[in-house]
Every structure is written in C-alpha cells, then in structure tokens.
C-alpha cells in the first residue's frame, strides 16, 4: 500500500509542475523535491520522466473517457452522441498538448513527436475497447466502424500538433475538423456501407 501512495505522490507532484512549467522545463529533481522524496525513489517506480508523464496522461484520459461513455443512453440519437463524444475526446487531446507538453516543444522535439504517437496509439486502443465494451454502443455500431471513426479522428486531431504554426492555427484546425470533417466521419460510421 505504501508503494501506491508514493507513486500517487510522484504523479500528483509531476502533474502540478508539468501544468505550471511544462514538461520540458520540469526536472526530475523538482518533481522529487515537490513530492518530498529522493530522486532515486522516482526511478524506483518510473524508468523516466516520460513514463511519469505517460502515467499521468493515461489516468487523465481513462477518467475522462469513462465519464464521457457513461453519459450515453440508448434514447439519445447515436449519431449526435458519437459526434459529441469524439469531439470531447479530441478536446482531451488538445488539453494534453496545451497544458502538459506545450505546442512549441511538440513541434521542436522529435522525442515528443514519437511520444505523442505512442500516446495516440494508447488513446486509440482505450477508446476502441471502451466503445466496443459499452453494450449499447457495441450493439449499435460494428467494431470495425467504431475503430475507423476513432482512428481517423485521432489521426486528424494529432496531426494539428505537428502541422500548425501557432496555437491559433490549432484552434482554427480544430473548428474546421468539428464543422467540416467530423460530421461526415460519424455519418459514415452510423449509416453503414
């Protein structure tokens, strides 16, 4: 039980520092100081600062996805629900990039781009399995169609981080995705072949 408390303390301290200063500007020494533990203790639980970030983000995503999927009831219009859910998940992606990593760091660092690809793949897996395991949605839409919707949406949204010059461009691209692309992806998912 003590190990769980230490891991949570590390994640909580790192989350606060990443949000305040960004991932790049936060050192492992600062995380250890804030958590009131030795630097070596962090490495006992996490092999790298990147893995601390990954644990924080996956916790954040898992909680958010569970909350989003819990709001569906089969009385809702499935197309509207899927569109709104994908949009909310896309906003999660934006929040992750904006609050934890920082847009400049994302565009400048090959390591961050590789990490975002890994995070993107983990997010896709979590969403697909969550949607498929949601009995109402899993029965209403074929798994391969849900996979298509999630994969296509995820790839488009994550590409914003690498192709946009400024945060304003990211927002503009996001609005374009919401209004011009997402409705067609959802329609193709719900309508069938």
């Amino acid at each position: 039980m003590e190990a769980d408390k230490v891991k949570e303390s590390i994640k909580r301290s790192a989350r606060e520092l990443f949000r305040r200063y960004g991932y790049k500007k936060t050192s492992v020494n600062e995380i250890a100081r804030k958590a009131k533990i030795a630097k070596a203790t962090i490495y006992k639980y996490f092999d790298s600062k990147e893995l601390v970030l990954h644990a924080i983000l996956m916790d954040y995503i898992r909680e958010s996805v569970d909350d989003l999927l819990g709001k569906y009831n089969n009385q809702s219009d499935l197309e509207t629900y899927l569109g709104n859910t994908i949009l909310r998940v896309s906003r999660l992606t934006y929040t992750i990039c904006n609050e934890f990593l920082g847009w400049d760091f994302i565009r400048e660092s090959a390591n961050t781009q590789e990490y975002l690809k890994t995070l993107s793949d983990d997010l896709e897996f979590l969403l697909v399995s969550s949607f498929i395991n949601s009995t109402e949605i899993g029965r209403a839409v074929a798994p391969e169609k849900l996979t298509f919707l999630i994969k296509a949406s995820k790839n488009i949204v994550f590409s914003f981080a690498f192709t946009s010059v400024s945060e304003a461009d990211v927002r503009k691209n996001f609005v374009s995705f919401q209004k011009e692309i997402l409705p067609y992806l959802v329609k193709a998912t719900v309508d069938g072949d």
Side-chain angles (χ1 to χ4, degrees), residues 1-12 45:
M1 192 60 138
E2 183 66 31
D4 290 339
K5 287 182 182 179
V6 173
K7 280 179 86 169
E8 284 307 310
S9 175
I10 293 167
K11 291 191 296 186
R12 185 175 44 256
Y45 296 99

Side-chain angles (χ1 to χ4, degrees), residues 94 98 103-104 107 160-174:
Y94 178 86
N98 192 44
W103 296 108
D104 293 336
R107 285 187 290 277
F160 298 163
F162 305 120
T163 59
S164 300
V165 176
S166 68
E167 193 172 331
D169 287 340
V170 173
R171 281 193 298 271
K172 184 176 135 189
N173 287 338
F174 190 78

Side-chain angles (χ1 to χ4, degrees), residues 23-193:
Y23 173 78
K24 183 178 180 181
K25 292 181 181 176
T26 300
S27 71
V28 174
N29 285 332
E30 291 167 324
I31 296 168
R33 192 171 23 257
K34 182 144 184 78
K36 297 181 173 125
I37 58 172
K39 180 179 175 180
T41 304
I42 292 176
Y43 290 113
K44 178 179 176 183
Y45 296 99
F46 300 96
D47 290 340
S48 67
K49 181 172 83 166
E50 183 178 287
L51 290 177
V52 174
L53 175 67
H54 191 75
I56 292 167
L57 295 180
M58 288 309 295
D59 288 349
Y60 177 74
I61 290 168
R62 214 174 277 109
E63 289 169 14
S64 299
V65 167
D66 288 346
D67 180 53
L68 290 173
L69 291 178
K71 294 181 179 178
Y72 177 71
N73 68 52
N74 55 11
Q75 304 303 314
S76 301
D77 171 29
L78 182 62
E79 196 170 320
T80 301
Y81 169 77
L82 285 174
N84 288 340
T85 302
I86 293 297
L87 192 59
R88 287 184 190 115
V89 169
S90 299
R91 285 189 183 122
L92 278 176
T93 304
Y94 178 86
T95 299
I96 288 166
C97 293
N98 192 44
E99 290 187 27
F100 290 96
L101 299 173
W103 296 108
D104 293 336
F105 184 51
I106 290 168
R107 285 187 290 277
E108 293 171 6
S109 172
N111 289 342
T112 302
Q113 292 176 11
E114 187 60 36
Y115 172 69
L116 277 179
K117 182 180 177 342
T118 300
L119 181 64
S120 169
D121 292 344
D122 288 349
L123 174 60
E124 178 183 322
F125 176 78
L126 176 66
L127 287 172
V128 168
S129 60
S130 297
F131 269 119
I132 290 170
N133 292 331
S134 170
T135 54
E136 296 90 0
I137 298 166
R139 282 193 303 254
V141 182
E144 60 275 3
K145 290 183 180 275
L146 286 171
T147 301
F148 159 77
L149 174 63
I150 291 165
K151 185 181 287 278
S153 299
K154 175 207 69 152
N155 288 338
I156 292 166
V157 171
F158 267 97
S159 74
F160 298 163
F162 305 120
T163 59
S164 300
V165 176
S166 68
E167 193 172 331
D169 287 340
V170 173
R171 281 193 298 271
K172 184 176 135 189
N173 287 338
F174 190 78
V175 169
S176 175
F177 168 73
Q178 176 184 358
K179 292 182 177 180
E180 299 170 16
I181 300 169
L182 183 58
Y184 294 104
L185 291 175
V186 171
K187 190 151 189 62
T189 301
V190 172
D191 284 348
D193 306 319

